[in-house]
Amino acid sequence: MRKILIADDEANMRWVLERALSKAGYEVETAEDGKLALERALAERPDLVLLDLKMPKLDGLSVLRRLKEHYPDLLIIMMTAHGSTATAVEAMKAGAHDYLMKPFDMEELLITVSKAFEVERLREQVDYLKGEVESNSWQMIVNSEAMQKVRHLVERVALTPATVLIQGESGTGKELVANAIHTLSRRVGGPFIRVNCAALTETLLETELFGHEKGAFTGALVRKMGRFELANGGTLFLDEIGELSFNVQAKLLRVLQERTFERVGGEKTIKVDVRIIAATNRDLLKEVQEGRFREDLYYRLSVFPISIPPLRERQEDIPDLAAHFVKKFRTYGQGKTLGPGVLTQLMAYEWPGNVRELENVIERMVIISSGTVIGNDELPVFNTLKKEEKGRTGAFELPPEGVSLEELEKSFLQQALEQTGGNQSQAAKRLGLSRHALLYRLEKYGIDPHWGI
């Protein structure tokens, strides 16, 4: 429930405003002078302040300026019976969202307040998107027959409202495909909101998805909109959906079925119009069979499945992808091209980290290269692209001079993160560890969990 503070020295005006706003569903508090209004607003931070211009102890403009120092985004609507155009302009310059000239009717008041909250919602959405928007790391290269099939599926499903499940190894470009579906859909004018389900704990993920009310838990100082609300009218991309706990799976199932939810700590049911696109590098059907993923949720998500092939199965895409990345990193050195020997080695490598690993390698090559043609002789980092011999047992021989086990373990941790593009679950799998064991070792050696991304 939105909280509004009314600051006016006229008792009758406070009573009328409080009655009208309470009936409209707002929580209302009042203050009879500027000093008390400032104290209450600073202590409790309401969602909106209705502020009279002429008040005892502290006038409205002074209160406005003080509040804006502490809460720059606080919605403040000025009220005055003594107003003029100059006064209104001064209030707006000081940060007022709008103003009402007394006398005004209650319908005008409710419309002004409603519009203010709608502007705030849009501002929150824009601020969130500014933080979330990332430029696509690679173009959808579709020279291979496998990727041509993917493009065809994307074009077919984009214009439908169907829920999509994108499956593929880490680094294959699942988010790019999700973004392409959104861009080609009728929702292109709406937001594209991404959530990494593997990056947050169960509690944090729940509040990220559904939002929370002020006071819902320790530290919840203000109401927060969840990603479902932010994605209203657009698309919500749930990456690493296989990492969801059973508790969150159940709540997600309800949203998919009913398109409604409640914020954490809230009672109001919120209805949203959101298209869901989920992605995973796991075999979700196997997860269902082994009891780690809800069967009913699986079938809700996989209305239209799309599988993205790993890069090793579409090597004909590598030359164009590599050329795209060289162009992308041209700020490191203009006019650079890949030598034919380099392309041969790129085509021969199996790319366990897929397109993300290719991008990382190209970036390093462009940085290290001193000439206009990038060749393998001058690039020691390129030695990491050698294939392992077939049939190796996995045993390591101890050199006569010995090794540091700590440095060896640290090196393997870093390589696993780099090869998987920072995907912790996949990195742990390559090292034969649980994800928690991997995180413990990363913390032990002071390695950034996102190393290599």
Side-chain angles (χ1 to χ4, degrees), residues 120-309:
E120 182 189 47
R121 186 188 72 80
L122 293 173
R123 184 184 65 205
E124 288 178 348
Q125 192 174 79
V126 169
D127 289 344
Y128 174 81
L129 291 173
K130 283 180 180 178
E132 282 290 300
V133 169
E134 300 173 345
S135 59
N136 291 329
S137 60
W138 55 282
Q139 295 174 343
M140 190 178 283
I141 305 297
V142 291
N143 292 327
S144 64
E145 183 179 348
M147 285 305 291
Q148 288 177 11
K149 289 180 179 179
V150 170
R151 183 175 65 178
H152 176 69
L153 292 174
V154 166
E155 292 171 347
R156 289 289 297 273
V157 76
L159 294 177
T160 75
T163 301
V164 180
L165 177 63
I166 305 171
Q167 296 173 294
E169 295 179 6
S170 177
T172 50
K174 297 185 288 294
E175 183 175 354
L176 176 70
V177 171
N179 216 325
I181 294 171
H182 172 73
T183 302
L184 294 172
S185 75
R186 296 182 179 92
R187 295 174 176 267
V188 64
F192 178 81
I193 303 296
R194 176 184 182 273
V195 182
N196 186 342
C197 300
L200 300 167
T201 64
E202 178 181 335
T203 303
L204 287 175
L205 180 59
E206 190 173 348
T207 61
E208 282 296 311
L209 289 174
F210 308 116
H212 62 72
E213 294 290 346
K214 178 181 177 181
F217 51 85
T218 303
L221 302 179
V222 295
R223 177 189 294 112
K224 178 182 177 181
M225 294 175 64
R227 308 278 179 109
F228 269 100
E229 284 182 86
L230 291 170
N232 192 35
T235 302
L236 181 62
F237 175 51
L238 300 175
D239 200 7
E240 304 292 359
I241 192 76
E243 304 294 331
L244 290 181
S245 68
F246 262 91
N247 178 48
V248 180
Q249 286 180 36
K251 294 186 177 183
L252 177 59
L253 179 63
R254 180 200 164 189
V255 181
L256 287 172
Q257 291 172 332
E258 303 174 12
R259 301 294 168 173
T260 61
F261 63 93
E262 290 80 40
R263 296 191 190 103
V264 176
E267 297 179 356
K268 181 183 177 182
T269 298
I270 299 169
K271 186 174 182 63
V272 289
D273 172 26
V274 175
R275 183 188 194 160
I276 302 295
I277 300 178
T280 181
N281 54 30
R282 295 189 179 192
D283 184 341
L284 276 195
L285 190 55
K286 183 179 179 182
E287 296 289 304
V288 170
Q289 293 167 349
E290 296 180 357
R292 290 190 293 268
F293 200 85
R294 292 181 62 118
E295 184 177 18
D296 46 6
L297 178 58
Y298 170 74
Y299 287 112
R300 281 280 180 180
L301 291 171
S302 60
V303 174
F304 195 95
I306 297 178
S307 295
I308 305 179

Side-chain angles (χ1 to χ4, degrees), residues 324-336 366:
H324 166 69
F325 291 137
V326 171
K327 184 179 179 181
K328 176 181 177 179
F329 300 118
R330 62 183 178 272
T331 52
Y332 300 151
Q334 291 284 349
K336 292 190 177 183
V366 172

